[in-house]
Amino acid sequence: MDFQYFIELFFGGLTRGSIYALIALGYTLVYGIIELINFAHGEIYMLGAFTALLIAGVLGIVGFPAGGILIVAALAAVVWSAAYGYTLEKVAYKPLRGAPRLSPLISAIGMSIFLQNYVLLAQTSDYVPFPRLLPDMEFLDYLGNIMGPSDFLILVTSTLAMVSLSLFIRYTRMGKAMRATAQNRKMALLLGINADRIISLTFIVGSALAALGGVLIASHMGQVNFGIGFLAGLKAFTAAVLGGIGSIPGAMVGGLVLGIAESMTTGYLSGNYEDALAFALLILILIFRPDGILGKAKVQKV
């Protein structure tokens, strides 16, 4: 029974960590290109969940099939949140690209507060139920309490998303341009790469991944709230730093490690300590390994 309990906690941590990893990828993509921490990224995750809720409500009224509702709602959330990310970059960050580094950071915090209050006023401060749209998966009955339909969906979808992103970055023309811009923006400009377009694409891709995470967690938890993005965003940022900010594999590893660590802490100690654990890990990483698990130290030539 103790081993079975450990396995349940482990897979629960994988589920949680997969969501952190999806959000952390947005942080690490943006930081890798322009060395900016987009603190409004958690609110894009929240907007994705609310967008899916609204679309699901409309499709449910017209009698759309439940399985189709989740797919259409997820696609709508991804597209809408990607548009938010693109607009966010153009409005809040691009005008400050040549400003001191503190200015875009303050702008990011301001956009985070603005988006929270925007959704608060447009929706409600209460938790809103998210419809149960996943069908029963009979093959999961053999696993007992280890994994449910929503856990399975999160693990499969996040794995496919992360693999697709890795292939996109490695093999496509735009992905290579993103890597070149991250490595040396001035040299990329000299080679004819449109850096502004690449930066916008980075915000679009990161926002789409965050929105996907928002839809998955809303379906898993069965409720959404305007404040879910703030703490999730901070933990995803912790995961990005833990894995190595700027490293795509590092963001994935950091998210999974943080999710499993929180799950074990909740299971064996208390849920009251899981938030403290996340930020304790952040402090320890910054002290003992500031480059993260898979991060590489930057060598400055003088």
Side-chain angles (χ1 to χ4, degrees):
M1 291 298 293
D2 290 341
F3 180 71
Q4 182 178 349
Y5 184 61
F6 172 82
I7 293 297
E8 291 176 7
L9 292 176
F10 178 79
F11 276 95
L14 284 181
T15 300
R16 184 184 307 196
S18 297
I19 300 296
Y20 291 156
L22 285 176
I23 309 173
L25 284 169
Y27 280 111
T28 207
L29 283 171
V30 170
Y31 184 85
I33 299 291
I34 58 176
E35 295 188 345
L36 167 71
I37 303 300
N38 178 19
F39 280 115
H41 191 59
E43 276 56 56
I44 300 295
Y45 158 86
M46 176 266 295
L47 284 168
F50 266 102
T51 302
L53 174 64
L54 294 174
I55 298 297
V58 172
L59 294 178
I61 292 174
V62 300
F64 213 75
I69 289 176
L70 186 59
I71 295 174
V72 174
L75 290 174
V78 166
V79 172
W80 187 249
S81 297
Y84 262 101
Y86 175 82
T87 306
L88 189 67
E89 189 270 330
K90 294 299 182 186
V91 172
Y93 303 140
K94 186 177 180 179
L96 299 173
R97 200 166 291 166
R101 298 187 64 177
L102 188 61
S103 299
L105 180 63
I106 294 173
S107 180
I109 296 173
M111 288 304 302
S112 172
I113 297 172
F114 170 79
L115 290 175
Q116 279 191 52
N117 286 273
Y118 161 66
V119 176
L120 170 63
L121 295 174
Q123 299 296 324
T124 176
S125 61
D126 300 326
Y127 277 88
V128 182
F130 193 90
R132 185 179 182 274
L133 301 171
L134 284 176
D136 293 329
M137 302 178 185
E138 296 181 358
F139 64 91
L140 294 177
D141 293 341
Y142 298 101
L143 299 178
N145 296 326
I146 294 176
M147 186 183 300
S150 60
D151 301 283
F152 179 78
L153 178 67
I154 289 174
L155 292 176
V156 171
T157 305
S158 59
T159 300
L160 290 175
M162 288 186 278
V163 170
S164 298
L165 177 65
S166 299
L167 295 176
F168 172 79
I169 295 294
R170 186 172 182 83
Y171 294 110
T172 67
R173 184 177 179 180
M174 295 301 292
K176 292 176 181 178
M178 290 172 69
R179 283 191 287 149
T181 306
Q183 186 173 8
N184 192 320
R185 194 192 311 177
K186 291 182 179 179
M187 184 60 68
L189 287 170
L190 292 174
L191 293 174
I193 295 174
N194 190 330
D196 287 339
R197 183 181 299 174
I198 295 302
I199 293 171
S200 297
L201 176 65
T202 302
F203 274 86
I204 289 171
V205 173
S207 299
L209 291 171
L212 182 61
V215 177
L216 291 172
I217 200 65
S219 178
H220 178 69
M221 300 299 295
Q223 58 184 8
V224 294
N225 178 265
F226 80 99
I228 63 172
F230 179 72
L231 187 58
L234 287 179
K235 290 187 177 182
F237 170 67
T238 301
V241 175
L242 177 63
I245 190 74
S247 168
I248 291 176
M252 301 176 190
V253 171
L256 295 177
V257 169
L258 179 60
I260 293 172
E262 283 191 355
S263 180
M264 295 298 174
T265 301
T266 301
Y268 288 111
L269 295 176
S270 170
N272 296 326
Y273 297 110
E274 67 176 39
D275 294 339
L277 172 71
F279 299 110
L281 281 175
L282 176 61
I283 294 171
L284 291 174
I285 285 294
L286 291 175
I287 293 174
F288 296 106
R289 189 173 173 80
D291 299 311
I293 297 173
L294 299 181
K296 296 180 181 179
K298 291 185 178 180
V299 178
Q300 293 184 347
K301 296 182 180 181
V302 297

